[in-house]
Every structure is written in structure tokens, then in C-alpha cells.
Amino acid sequence: EALEVPKENSIPESSLQHRVAGHIILFNHQVDSYRALHVFAPPGIHKHARYGVTVKLSKTWGQGGAGDGGNASSGLVAHRPAHAADLLWQNVGIPTRERVLRALASALFTVGILFCTLAFVTLLTRYRASVAEKTGGAASALDHLVGIVVVLLNYVLKLVMEWTSRFEGHMSETALQASYAVKLAAGLVANSTLVLVVSHYRRSPQFQGEIDWYAPGGLLSDVRSLVVSNAWLTPLMYLFPTEAVLPFIQRRFLVNPATTTLTQDEYNDLHLGPSLGLAARVASVINMVVTALMFAPMMPSLVVIATAGLALMFWTDKFFVLYFASA
């Protein structure tokens, strides 16, 4: 079991009979962890349905302490440690306060990226709408430009959030992937729906702050372009990810086995396929479904397009798992 002990405790130092150095203690057997918990909290051990054992220290623990009047209280939490293969050992020594600061910095950086994409998409939609008005709404290559650009920005957002999630210093790979999936899903939905809505909210005298839903080059035109681009471009980008394409180019055109200075492990890594990346795929599916359902009352055909995109993503992911993925 793992015993997590806060470095700063509200209990006076004079009342502690045992001091624990460090943040996490691993025991060889569950009985040893229970014994350690009894040392710190003799009044009682309470079962917790999810985390195993939760210990609440008695409020009378501080009696006789230096000036606390017997009102000191604190708590210890014991839970099962992550599996050795799942634990990120390089993050074990990071203090809790530093993790919180890293998460805050990651959130602020992500919000800044979303504002940058909002500004870029706003300029693009304004240009697209002005061209549509001048041509009387005639079809052109710009009809699908906004959707393709938003899908490409979503892929950039995926790479950025993967880096920021690792920067946060999670204790296990499972916690890392869970955090990455939640934040990426929220970011993709915001970048695909809210960005388009805000970029079409015009304040010119012609529209008086209203959204031009059905105008040439209007919101629904760009939404249709986005859903169509999501249906075919997103599965292709996950079928040929950058972490697979770049090593292929390197080993095919840039590395000569006879003269290379790479070590054997580095050369083997060039021929190792990428991982499946389930968290990013789940976030992309959520984004595709939410975007289609959000605008389906105005354009019901979006549901059919999104369904076709989900079917294409299923078969491309199946092909990727069988022929390319390493794990």
C-alpha cells in the first residue's frame, strides 16, 4: 500500500511520536500499511469505497501541544499504489503545490492558444463571407476552407495539449491519459463550435449583433464544411500521425544503415510503430458528435455526415491497430 503524508501538518511537532520523511511510503504488505496508519491515527480507520483506506486523526491529538488548546486536526490517506508499469517515476518527487501551479500554467497556456485560434478563424470567416457576398454566394474553393483550417487547428491543439498534460506531472500514465482526454475533448468542442459561433457574431450596422445563420458564407455554411472535413480528414490524420510519418521519412530517406551513427536502440525505435493514442481518439469522437448534434436542429443532414465520419474512423482505427500500432 502507499501512505501519502502531507509535508505540512497542522498537528504540533511536540505531539508527534513518529515523524515521516518524504511524500510517499511504499509497504511490502497491506498489514504493514495498516500498522503504520494505526500509529498515526489510533482512534479509527474508515473504509473508503474508491481509495481503500482513509484515516481521520482525532481532534484531541494536540492536547498538551504548544498553544493549540487541543483543537488540532489533520488527516492521512492510504490508497493502492499505481502498478509499476503504470507509474511515472520521474514525477514521483514533484510536490503537490508544484503540480497545482503546473496545472494552472497549462490551463492558461491552453486558453491563450484558443484565443489565438479564435482570432485566426474570425479573420478567415470574415474574408470568406466577404467573398461570398461579392460573388452572390457562388460555390468556390473557399467553401471548405474554414472547415479544413479548423480541423488542422484541432490537430495542432491535440499536440499542444499532449505536451501540456505531460508538463503537469501526473503520477501515473492512467491519470495522464484521463486528464489529457478530458481537456482535449473540451478544447476541441470549444474550437469547433464556440469559435465558429463567436467568429460569426457580427457587430456591423448591417447585422446589428446578430448571427448570420443562412447568409452566403454564413455560420451554417461553415459548420457544414467543418463537419464534412471532420468526417474524412480527421480519420486520415489519425491513420498517418506525425509520430509515424516522420520516423518513416527518416529511416527511408535520411538514415543509411551502413554509415549511421545511431545506436541500435535508436535505430530500432525508427522501425517501431506509434501507440494507438486512445485518449485523443475518444476526444475527437466526442467533438464530432457534439458538433453535429449542436447544429442538427438547423441542418439535420449533419447527423448523417457525422455518422459516416464515425464509420470511417472506426475502420481506419481498426486498420491502424492491426497494421501500424505498436501498443
Side-chain angles (χ1 to χ4, degrees):
E1 295 292 322
L3 177 63
E4 184 174 349
V5 182
K7 291 184 176 180
E8 298 179 359
N9 205 311
S10 59
I11 298 175
E13 182 176 348
S14 59
S15 65
L16 289 177
Q17 297 179 357
H18 299 269
R19 293 188 56 81
V20 179
H23 188 65
I24 290 180
I25 300 176
L26 299 180
F27 296 94
N28 293 327
H29 195 273
Q30 187 175 3
V31 175
D32 296 333
S33 66
Y34 280 118
R35 290 174 179 171
L37 291 173
H38 276 291
V39 169
F40 278 90
I45 297 179
H46 306 281
K47 291 287 184 180
H48 195 284
R50 181 177 179 184
Y51 296 106
V53 183
T54 301
V55 179
K56 296 182 179 179
L57 301 182
S58 172
K59 289 186 177 181
T60 61
W61 231 45
Q63 289 183 350
D68 83 308
N71 295 321
S73 63
S74 183
L76 298 176
V77 176
H79 57 85
R80 295 184 183 277
H83 192 273
D86 188 45
L87 193 64
L88 299 176
W89 292 98
Q90 66 271 22
N91 298 333
V92 169
I94 300 178
T96 303
R97 181 177 299 178
E98 182 178 342
R99 285 197 180 92
V100 173
L101 294 177
R102 288 190 179 194
L104 180 60
S106 172
L108 294 177
F109 182 76
T110 303
V111 171
I113 294 294
L114 288 176
F115 272 108
C116 293
T117 59
L118 172 61
F120 183 77
V121 173
T122 299
L123 294 176
L124 184 60
T125 52
R126 297 286 175 87
Y127 175 73
R128 158 80 167 76
S130 63
V131 171
E133 292 172 2
K134 292 179 181 178
T135 59
S140 64
L142 291 176
D143 288 343
H144 298 287
L145 180 61
V146 174
I148 294 176
V149 168
V150 171
V151 172
L152 294 177
L153 289 176
N154 284 342
Y155 192 78
V156 174
L157 193 64
K158 164 188 171 296
L159 300 178
V160 170
M161 284 195 171
E162 184 177 3
W163 178 82
T164 56
S165 297
R166 295 191 178 278
F167 171 75
E168 293 175 1
H170 294 280
M171 290 288 292
S172 65
E173 186 68 24
T174 300
L176 169 64
Q177 294 300 323
S179 173
Y180 174 46
V182 172
K183 290 186 295 185
L184 181 58
L188 293 182
V189 171
N191 192 49
S192 299
T193 58
L194 298 182
V195 167
L196 284 182
V197 171
V198 173
S199 64
H200 278 273
Y201 189 82
R202 306 186 178 194
R203 300 184 180 276
S204 63
Q206 179 182 359
F207 294 96
Q208 297 296 327
E210 297 181 356
I211 299 177
D212 51 332
W213 296 90
Y214 298 99
L219 176 62
L220 290 183
S221 175
D222 289 338
V223 168
R224 181 180 63 246
S225 169
L226 171 61
V227 174
V228 171
S229 301
N230 253 333
W232 68 269
L233 186 56
T234 300
L236 290 182
M237 287 194 298
Y238 281 111
L239 182 60
F240 303 104
T242 54
E243 56 267 25
V245 174
L246 295 180
F248 173 79
I249 295 175
Q250 185 177 2
R251 71 172 179 263
R252 183 72 176 180
F253 303 104
L254 303 179
V255 175
N256 186 353
T259 60
T260 183
T261 58
L262 296 176
T263 64
Q264 186 63 52
D265 291 338
E266 293 173 342
Y267 190 70
N268 291 341
D269 290 339
L270 291 179
H271 295 78
L272 187 65
S275 60
L276 177 60
L278 187 60
R281 283 169 164 80
V282 170
S284 297
V285 169
I286 293 175
N287 173 47
M288 192 179 300
V289 172
V290 171
T291 304
L293 293 181
M294 181 175 180
F295 299 99
M298 287 75 71
M299 188 175 290
S301 61
L302 297 179
V303 177
V304 179
I305 299 173
T307 302
L310 293 176
L312 180 60
M313 179 168 284
F314 168 78
W315 286 105
T316 53
D317 287 348
K318 187 175 182 178
F319 184 84
F320 182 83
V321 169
L322 294 177
Y323 292 97
F324 293 130
S326 59

